[in-house]
Amino acid sequence: MEMKKHLFHMRKNCLGKVCLILFLLAGSVNLYAQNQKINISGIIKDETGVPLIGANVTEKGTTNGTMTDVEGNFSLSVNNRGTIQISFVGYIAQEMPVNGKSTFDIILKEDSRILDEVIVVGYGSTVKKDLTTAVTSVSSKDFLQGAVNSPMQMIDGKVAGLSISNPAAADPNKNADIQIRGASSMKAGNSPLIVIDGMPGGDLRNLAQQDIESITVLKDGSAAAIYGSRAANGVILVQTKQGKAGKVSITYDSFIEHDAVAKRPEILSAEEFVAKGRAKDWGARTDWYNELLNKNNFGQNHNISLAGGSESSIFRISANYRTKEGLDIATNREEYGLRASFKQTTLEGLLEVGGNVSYRIAEEDWTDYAVFKQAVKLNPTVDKNEMNYFTGRYDEYNPIKWLTERERGASWEYATIDFNIKLNLAKNLNTELQLGRQGINKKQREYYTKNHKESIDNNRGGRARFEHESWVDWTLEWIANYAFKVNQHDFKIMGGYSYQEFNREKLIAENADFPSDAFTYNQLQAGAWNKIAGRLGMESEKDKEKTTAFLGRVNYNFDNQFLVTASLRYEGNSKFGTDNKWGYFPAASAAWRFSRLPVFENTTFVDDLKVRFSYGQTGRSGFDKYIALSKYSPASYSYVDGKWIQVYGPGNNPNANLKWEKQISYNLGLDYTLFNSKLSGSIDVFIRDGQDVIGDYTSPVPPYIYSTLVTNVGTTRDKGIELQLNWNAVKTKDFSYSTALTASYINSKIKSFSSGTFTKGYVDSEGLPSPGNPGAPQRLADGKEIGSFYGYRYAGVDADGKILIYEGGKKSGNTVLAEQAKDSDKAYLGNGSPDYELAWSHSLAYKEFDLNFFFRGKFGFQILNTYQMYYGLVAEPEVNLLQSAYNDNAHIKGGKVICDYFLEDGSYFKLDNISLGWTPKIKSKFISNLRLYGTVRNVFTITKYSGLDPTTVPTAGLWPGISSLDVYPIARNFSFGVQISY
């Protein structure tokens, strides 16, 4: 019996050990199977069966990945039980488990979910379908191609209500003028606030165009109010490209460019000049305009980036180099920069750390646009080598020597760093701290040789000047987000604190009378000019501004049908008067998705219909620092007892009540998405009322020290309509076509310049150039539109060819010689601000080729053609003239007069950009995508304007529509580029 028990236990123990061994063996086999690598392959196509070149295939949770080749094929070694992620720009990403499968046939669907597109807004982001305000975002795939001076030119015409212009597009050192929904400020600025990667007050010159992922424009007061006293002119949010989890990718994006003269002034040739007896014939035949042109100008732009990472760690590094010669003999620009970004997630997703670092250097050589005025008016019979400066008229000089006998330019250094720490305390609760520093250093250099006109006129042996100006901005922002849902009620709450400090320093040193031109501005101490008693030759400045704000926002969503957003910013700024340091900026908006109504339930063509209304208060604070305070300023030097003594005294009339300009905005909008996202767009109607507009007002002396006081008095109004439409018309296997249209109507006017204390009535623009300045061509007045021309009504000419005008400004009145007219004979003649703006883009693709056309135009405005006034009349003595002086204007024998004869229709419509691209199929494991393209900018313009080009005339700001005599050459730009990705 005992023997049986013993044998039984032996069997039992053995069986248990065997089972344990078998279990461990099975587990090991299973673990081995799970960790075993397997080679997979496959093909990725779109819904029409076209292979997708350069699609990303990544093993989830790793950096292991690859891209499809020219046939859409891929191969990769992955974990047997892993998951692969497939993504391609413009298509819906997919995840597929491997589970031992070795071959894959994958179809990616085009991402037509416009409603789910993520849009960046102030201090956060949202999906497009949940927007309750007027916000437009343009991604990099929709940017205009080709060479630009400012990144904003890449979205020119893409955003209704956004006006972008550059009167000197071929000057690489000239920035674009930006304006959103009109202009209405006199002293506080009309430019929007720029925010780059969440940092308010960014500088667009610190960006390479290839590094930008998207540009978002906050147009209405409700969207912009979260930025407070700097947001009345709208806000532009720029997001740079960031790394993505997956295989490390390398991208090279480069182009070369060249500018050709598209149009030049039609002036008298040397033979015609002599035949007309314009002035003395000196024997030479000089084309001054042609001599100033750099016809062999060249530009190049190179950008290379490295990006990648894993699900917990991503990075992107890019380097950029650009050079560009101007269309004149003096202008040049060279710049290079680095940009890097990273994001690291750790502690099981609790902590996210990220940041951006950028550094950029730009070297600029500046021109002087006034030389092209000289090129038009100068006697063409003077030898360019013999003529020095004086030719009998005080305002004439050799424009070639003016540029070549001097050096003038600047070196810029941009350095930006921001650091973000985010704690994900719960799935619906997080807090983020952002610290940032933005620094700019500018070193401006000038040297005028002994042979320069300035030295000759002042009997100097050269003059040198050196300026060093620096700006350092510090930013600290702490934001918290909390979201929760109760049944069908979704809430998102944001609260935060913002602090910014702006510091500026400037140092100037100059001297003259140097023994040699050899050292230029590098030997200031060698000049004899400042060694004379009483002369110093240096000056310095320093100022600071601080902004502190507490802000909050609540988003409410009921059943994805009713949406409400409310925000409040409580802000203080050191620039304002003692009694107005702090202020409130409230905003509220609501939207109703009426496409959820039963009437639309059975429709197949309506994806989304949403009506929205918004209200918001914003401010302007772009005026000079310290003008609200009582300043003790240096006046003049006094010579007392053999010594020079600096005299100080009161520098201004202080104003303790000075505050920011307030702007109250109302916006009614409709968003629509139809036919499975093939047709989408928006319609907006807005009103902006400006209050407490800052201006210089006449103050009585005494009790005031000075006769002018900077204070809040005026009121303004902007109103308009905006339309955006996008239509993806055709999409087949080999061909696609889409078009986009933006249009806007904007009207801006001054409601009043007066209050109970201060009265102004009107403000005249600056006078036109001398010699022969005929006065101010525009007037801002109560109840009048901004940009209103004010002058005489042309009534023909008398027997001597002198201009006649209508008395009292009425065409039915009597006529009188313009030289005998009174101010009471003036009238409002027209307006220089466009009523309508239109942009129309077309994108076509056929197999490996793509073609893009971009048209734009401005309509309903006038231009004062100062070229015709100054160089189109035979009465101008001893200067060269336009051909029109002896043709269209031959009947006028008298001098220039500001009258509607010289007002011309400025409306135009132009083919602004045409681009042709080719994406060949290349079978290479090192190249996943290759694209070659060519672009032409400023192809042709349709206009009645007789000047050089209506786009050279400023249409933004307070004094639009006045053409300049200093017009930089009109250019047609050609560029050729290549984009290579691995």
Side-chain angles (χ1 to χ4, degrees):
M1 188 70 179
E2 293 295 329
M3 180 62 72
K4 290 182 178 179
K5 289 182 178 179
H6 180 69
L7 291 173
F8 174 77
H9 284 298
M10 286 183 63
R11 292 192 189 103
K12 182 177 181 182
N13 291 336
C14 290
L15 182 61
K17 291 179 180 178
V18 170
C19 290
L20 177 61
I21 292 172
L22 290 175
F23 175 77
L24 293 174
L25 183 60
S28 299
V29 172
N30 184 54
L31 182 62
Y32 173 77
Q34 289 181 354
N35 293 325
Q36 186 180 17
K37 291 289 185 177
I38 182 174
N39 292 322
I40 65 172
S41 62
I43 185 170
I44 301 176
K45 302 178 180 179
D46 65 12
E47 294 176 282
T48 63
V50 176
L52 294 178
I53 307 170
N56 289 290
V57 183
T58 307
E59 183 178 2
K60 186 175 182 180
T62 73
T63 60
N64 181 32
T66 187
M67 292 182 178
T68 55
D69 61 18
V70 71
E71 302 292 343
N73 297 312
F74 71 91
S75 60
L76 186 66
S77 178
V78 299
N79 192 295
N80 187 43
R81 292 291 184 264
T83 299
I84 58 172
Q85 297 171 316
I86 305 98
S87 63
F88 190 71
V89 176
Y91 291 79
I92 301 173
Q94 291 187 26
E95 288 189 3
M96 303 184 73
V98 178
N99 288 334
K101 186 178 180 180
S102 60
T103 58
F104 294 82
D105 191 357
I106 302 168
I107 303 296
L108 288 185
K109 294 183 178 180
E110 189 173 358
D111 190 359
S112 59
R113 301 173 301 174
I114 296 174
L115 299 175
D116 294 329
E117 178 185 352
V118 176
I119 303 294
V120 177
V121 294
Y123 299 98
S125 61
T126 186
V127 293
K128 187 172 183 179
K129 67 179 181 180
D130 290 342
L131 285 172
T132 59
T133 55
V135 175
T136 301
S137 183
V138 184
S139 64
S140 56
K141 64 182 178 63
D142 295 319
F143 289 166
L144 293 175
Q145 294 184 334
V148 295
N149 291 337
S150 167
M152 293 304 297
Q153 291 176 273
M154 297 189 300
I155 65 167
D156 189 4
K158 299 285 186 176
V159 180
L162 173 65
S163 178
I164 301 170
S165 61
N166 190 340
D171 180 357
N173 300 316
K174 179 70 171 66
N175 292 317
D177 299 320
I178 309 169
Q179 186 172 282
I180 300 175
R181 291 185 167 182
S184 54
S185 178
M186 297 184 64
K187 292 185 71 69
N190 287 293
S191 297
L193 173 67
I194 306 296
V195 180
I196 301 176
D197 289 334
M199 296 276 288
D203 195 317
L204 292 171
R205 292 172 295 183
N206 192 21
L207 294 172
Q209 64 187 79
Q210 296 96 333
D211 287 336
I212 299 177
E213 177 64 30
S214 67
I215 299 176
T216 302
V217 183
L218 311 183
K219 296 188 288 186
D220 69 356
S222 180
I226 200 72
Y227 288 103
S229 67
R230 295 172 289 172
N233 302 314
V235 180
I236 293 176
L237 309 177
V238 180
Q239 290 293 116
T240 60
K241 294 177 180 178
Q242 306 293 308
K244 297 179 181 179
K247 179 182 177 180
V248 174
S249 63
I250 302 173
T251 300
Y252 174 68
D253 190 331
S254 173
F255 61 83
I256 57 175
E257 58 170 312
H258 170 72
D259 287 319
V261 177
K263 188 176 182 180
R264 54 176 291 173
E266 296 180 357
I267 59 178
L268 300 177
S269 66
E271 289 73 15
E272 292 171 327
F273 183 90
V274 173
K276 301 292 185 183
R278 293 299 306 162
K280 181 179 177 179
D281 183 359
W282 294 92
R285 296 297 182 261
T286 304
D287 187 338
W288 292 104
Y289 201 92
N290 190 65
E291 294 292 337
L292 290 172
L293 296 176
N294 176 18
K295 296 181 179 179
N296 297 318
N297 65 84
F298 176 78
Q300 57 182 323
N301 191 316
H302 306 275
N303 188 281
I304 187 168
S305 64
L306 187 72
S310 64
E311 288 187 334
S312 60
S313 179
I314 58 174
F315 73 94
R316 185 179 187 271
I317 303 172
S318 67
N320 176 253
Y321 176 73
R322 179 197 179 205
T323 63
K324 178 69 166 70
E325 297 172 329
L327 198 46
D328 69 285
I329 59 176
T331 302
N332 190 49
R333 182 179 183 87
E334 181 180 20
E335 57 184 311
Y336 44 92
L338 295 170
R339 176 171 289 272
S341 64
F342 76 96
K343 181 181 178 181
Q344 177 68 52
T345 303
T346 185
L347 299 178
E348 302 299 322
L350 173 65
L351 177 65
E352 294 180 17
V353 180
N356 300 276
V357 178
S358 67
Y359 183 78
R360 194 168 196 83
I361 295 289
E363 298 287 346
E364 299 178 345
D365 293 318
W366 299 341
T367 188
D368 185 344
Y369 296 171
V371 297
F372 291 99
K373 174 175 64 178
Q374 294 293 324
V376 171
K377 65 187 286 187
L378 276 181
N379 186 331
T381 68
V382 175
D383 192 313
K384 65 178 181 179
N385 297 312
E386 293 181 3
M387 175 188 178
N388 195 359
Y389 287 102
F390 183 71
T391 62
R393 291 173 57 89
Y394 78 94
D395 63 324
E396 290 183 354
Y397 53 85
N398 186 327
I400 302 171
K401 290 182 177 291
W402 181 270
L403 294 181
T404 57
E405 295 289 348
R406 65 157 201 180
E407 181 179 351
R408 186 168 181 262
S411 300
W412 295 83
E413 180 184 46
Y414 304 89
T416 301
I417 181 171
D418 65 82
F419 189 70
N420 309 281
I421 303 174
K422 184 177 181 181
L423 286 175
N424 296 306
L425 302 173
K427 186 177 181 180
N428 59 344
L429 175 64
N430 65 67
T431 182
E432 182 176 1
L433 178 67
Q434 182 180 45
L435 301 171
R437 179 190 185 275
Q438 302 178 83
I440 301 176
N441 279 297
K442 173 189 175 186
K443 295 179 181 179
Q444 181 174 332
R445 57 192 183 273
E446 294 181 43
Y447 187 77
Y448 300 85
T449 70
K450 298 176 182 179
N451 296 321
H452 195 273
K453 181 179 188 299
E454 180 189 285
S455 298
I456 295 173
D457 288 349
N458 294 281
N459 195 28
R460 291 177 181 168
R463 181 176 71 87
R465 180 182 177 90
F466 193 84
E467 296 184 15
H468 183 199
E469 192 168 7
S470 66
W471 297 263
V472 177
D473 303 344
W474 297 94
T475 300
L476 183 151
E477 293 189 325
W478 188 8
I479 304 297
N481 293 280
Y482 177 59
F484 64 94
K485 184 174 182 179
V486 180
N487 297 326
Q488 294 176 305
H489 306 274
D490 278 334
F491 293 89
K492 294 180 182 178
I493 302 173
M494 183 274 291
Y497 168 79
S498 175
Y499 172 83
Q500 276 200 289
E501 181 179 299
F502 309 92
N503 300 275
R504 184 187 73 98
E505 294 183 358
K506 186 175 184 179
L507 175 64
I508 302 174
E510 64 179 346
N511 208 345
D513 286 341
F514 295 94
S516 170
D517 291 327
F519 295 103
T520 64
Y521 48 81
N522 294 309
Q523 288 283 328
L524 290 179
Q525 70 274 15
W529 178 257
N530 287 321
K531 294 179 180 179
I532 299 175
R535 293 175 181 166
L536 184 61
M538 68 177 70
E539 60 182 280
S540 60
E541 302 173 4
K542 184 176 182 178
D543 54 52
K544 178 184 290 188
E545 176 187 351
K546 295 181 180 180
T547 297
T548 302
F550 301 90
L551 51 112
R553 180 173 59 216
V554 177
N555 294 87
Y556 168 70
N557 184 335
F558 172 69
D559 194 25
N560 202 28
Q561 185 170 7
F562 296 100
L563 304 101
V564 178
T565 301
S567 68
L568 178 65
R569 183 179 177 109
Y570 180 58
E571 181 178 304
N573 189 297
S574 61
K575 292 170 68 172
F576 306 127
T578 306
D579 302 330
N580 292 282
K581 294 291 186 184
W582 291 84
Y584 294 92
F585 297 94
S589 58
W592 172 41
R593 180 166 285 110
F594 63 92
S595 56
R596 294 285 302 275
L597 293 173
V599 68
F600 295 106
E601 285 185 356
N602 297 321
T603 60
T604 57
F605 64 90
V606 176
D607 301 317
D608 188 69
L609 290 173
K610 181 180 63 180
V611 63
R612 48 185 165 75
F613 176 77
S614 66
Y615 160 87
Q617 287 191 21
T618 51
R620 288 189 182 93
S621 56
F623 50 85
D624 295 337
K625 304 176 182 70
Y626 308 127
I627 61 176
L629 305 177
S630 180
K631 294 191 294 186
Y632 197 54
S633 304
S636 59
Y637 282 91
S638 294
Y639 193 71
V640 180
D641 296 331
K643 297 181 180 179
W644 289 98
I645 300 175
Q646 174 71 69
V647 179
Y648 284 84
N652 67 315
N653 287 327
N655 184 0
N657 295 315
L658 187 67
K659 55 188 175 183
W660 50 72
E661 295 184 6
K662 183 189 299 182
Q663 188 157 269
I664 301 174
S665 303
Y666 305 89
N667 194 102
L668 178 64
L670 172 69
D671 297 330
Y672 57 92
T673 305
L674 309 172
F675 306 110
N676 194 26
S677 297
K678 287 185 177 295
L679 182 66
S680 63
S682 63
I683 302 172
D684 283 276
V685 180
F686 68 88
I687 294 176
R688 301 194 313 184
D689 283 331
Q691 300 178 1
D692 301 322
V693 174
I694 298 172
D696 294 317
Y697 287 83
T698 303
S699 54
V701 180
Y704 292 96
I705 301 174
Y706 293 94
S707 59
T708 59
L709 174 71
V710 179
T711 188
N712 306 90
V713 173
T715 57
T716 63
R717 167 162 285 191
D718 302 301
K719 60 183 179 180
I721 302 173
E722 298 168 351
L723 168 68
Q724 295 205 188
L725 183 148
N726 303 283
W727 182 29
N728 297 317
V730 180
K731 177 66 175 179
T732 66
K733 178 180 178 180
D734 294 329
F735 178 75
S736 65
Y737 168 69
S738 62
T739 184
L741 178 74
T742 65
S744 64
Y745 162 79
I746 297 176
N747 179 278
S748 302
K749 72 175 182 178
I750 302 292
K751 294 176 67 177
S752 175
F753 273 128
S754 306
S755 68
T757 305
F758 298 97
T759 301
K760 200 173 188 74
Y762 66 87
V763 176
D764 284 334
S765 64
E766 293 183 359
L768 295 176
S770 295
N773 176 9
Q778 286 188 347
R779 171 171 289 185
L780 292 175
D782 293 354
K784 297 297 182 181
E785 290 185 39
I786 292 175
S788 294
F789 289 104
Y790 188 71
Y792 301 112
R793 294 197 183 279
Y794 176 74
V797 296
D798 67 0
D800 297 323
K802 294 183 178 181
I803 292 178
L804 297 170
I805 59 99
Y806 287 104
E807 288 185 326
K810 299 179 180 179
K811 289 188 175 181
S812 58
N814 297 323
T815 62
V816 63
L817 283 172
E819 57 195 45
Q820 299 173 356
K822 304 174 183 178
D823 195 64
S824 59
D825 295 323
K826 292 183 178 180
Y828 289 96
L829 307 174
N831 193 274
S833 182
D835 290 329
Y836 306 94
E837 293 196 28
L838 174 71
W840 192 13
S841 64
H842 304 264
S843 299
L844 303 95
Y846 178 71
K847 293 186 177 181
E848 300 172 355
F849 296 92
D850 60 88
L851 182 64
N852 294 274
F853 295 89
F854 177 69
F855 298 88
R856 67 182 177 94
K858 297 182 179 182
F859 310 91
F861 71 108
Q862 288 76 45
I863 293 176
L864 180 65
N865 194 333
T866 54
Y867 251 53
Q868 292 291 345
M869 288 182 64
Y870 280 74
Y871 307 128
L873 301 178
V874 295
E876 294 298 310
E878 297 187 340
V879 297
N880 202 0
L881 298 175
L882 299 172
Q883 295 281 353
S884 58
Y886 294 92
N887 297 319
D888 297 340
N889 305 331
H891 59 290
I892 301 178
K893 308 299 181 183
K896 47 186 171 286
V897 177
I898 296 178
C899 62
D900 53 2
Y901 178 84
F902 299 105
L903 280 185
E904 299 184 22
D905 184 359
S907 300
Y908 67 88
F909 186 69
K910 69 186 306 176
L911 176 54
D912 195 47
N913 186 298
I914 180 171
S915 179
L916 175 63
W918 177 44
T919 307
K921 295 180 179 181
I922 296 181
K923 296 182 179 181
S924 171
K925 63 180 181 179
F926 298 109
I927 298 177
S928 59
N929 187 61
L930 169 65
R931 182 172 183 270
L932 305 174
Y933 69 91
T935 299
V936 182
R937 299 180 67 94
N938 190 24
V939 183
F940 65 78
T941 303
I942 301 173
T943 183
K944 295 180 179 179
Y945 177 58
S946 65
L948 289 176
D949 192 320
T951 61
T952 65
V953 182
T955 54
L958 293 176
W959 313 108
I962 303 174
S963 68
S964 174
L965 297 177
D966 307 335
V967 182
Y968 197 74
I970 313 304
R972 180 168 295 117
N973 179 269
F974 301 86
S975 61
F976 176 78
V978 58
Q979 298 165 336
I980 307 175
S981 297
Y982 163 71

